[in-house]
Amino acid sequence: MSSTGRAGRPKASSRETLAEAACELFLERGYDATSVADITQRAGVSRSSFFNYFASKSDVLWSGVDERIGHAITSLEELGRAATGESVRDILLSVVHDFAPDPLALALRNAAAMGLEGELVRDTGLRLARLSAAMSRAASSAGVDVIRADILGAAHAAAVLSSLRVWAEQGAGRGAPETVLREALGTIHDLPWS
């Protein structure tokens, strides 16, 4: 038996319902003019339901990518000394594999209309730093010197996040983000793994 939340919505769909409501409101009113209360009212769920899924309204946009980055970081840590450029690139490709249009893709494509430019720059920077540090640790564990490991980490993390942005801005239905990321990773050829 599935339990239901407020307004008879199944709990399993509350996350998606909240994300949809948030995106609608961001497009209608702008990001700054939309409160968590506005989102929960539009979604027909309680404020506490919102915080069961998201820590903040910006997390509505990033939760899907954050989960994928978390899995990638875990996979990078598991490589240890066995990390190679190829194994790392495979892990990074998993971040965008089968990535479907989601709130982040919508926000990236409509950043100006939603009033999200500054928020996206800040939040992208946080994800970039997190993924870059994990990449750098993987390279260092495999014996790459520290400066080169940091450069490799920053370049590869930038390739992932830039690829998602470019894919979304081009229209998320026009191809796969994996294709964009493969092209971006190809531009890092001057920074070989070893």
Side-chain angles (χ1 to χ4, degrees):
M1 170 160 58
S2 91
S3 59
T4 58
R6 203 168 172 191
R9 295 186 190 274
K11 280 191 175 200
S13 70
S14 291
R15 179 190 272 293
E16 293 80 17
T17 302
L18 285 160
E20 184 177 311
C23 288
E24 288 172 1
L25 288 164
F26 296 161
L27 278 169
E28 291 169 18
R29 301 178 185 176
Y31 181 80
D32 288 336
T34 301
S35 68
V36 170
D38 296 330
I39 296 167
T40 58
Q41 182 178 9
R42 172 76 58 98
V45 300
S46 69
R47 184 174 169 84
S48 63
S49 290
F50 179 91
F51 291 107
N52 284 337
Y53 298 105
F54 308 108
S56 67
K57 72 178 178 179
S58 72
D59 285 349
V60 171
L61 304 174
W62 289 95
S63 65
V65 171
D66 283 343
E67 186 175 330
R68 288 169 174 259
I69 288 173
H71 290 303
I73 289 171
T74 299
S75 297
L76 288 167
E77 290 168 352
E78 290 171 353
L79 287 176
R81 300 186 119 263
T84 63
E86 184 178 342
S87 63
V88 166
R89 284 187 293 277
D90 287 344
I91 289 169
L92 294 179
L93 284 163
S94 74
V95 173
V96 299
H97 179 71
D98 285 337
F99 195 86
D102 74 344
L104 179 61
L106 182 68
L108 290 167
R109 185 164 172 91
N110 297 288
M114 292 180 162
L116 276 166
E117 293 101 334
E119 187 77 20
L120 287 173
V121 167
R122 182 185 65 83
D123 287 347
T124 299
L126 294 172
R127 276 74 188 179
L128 182 68
R130 190 170 163 226
L131 188 54
S132 177
M135 285 286 309
S136 179
R137 287 190 304 271
S140 291
S141 293
V144 176
D145 69 84
V146 175
I147 291 175
R148 186 178 211 67
D150 285 349
I151 293 168
L152 285 165
H156 284 82
V160 171
L161 291 162
S162 179
S163 295
L164 281 174
R165 180 185 51 79
V166 167
W167 169 75
E169 288 173 353
Q170 290 175 346
R174 295 186 188 174
E178 282 175 283
T179 304
V180 181
L181 179 54
R182 283 183 200 284
E183 290 173 16
L185 291 172
T187 65
I188 304 174
H189 64 82
D190 288 337
L191 297 171
W193 186 259
S194 55

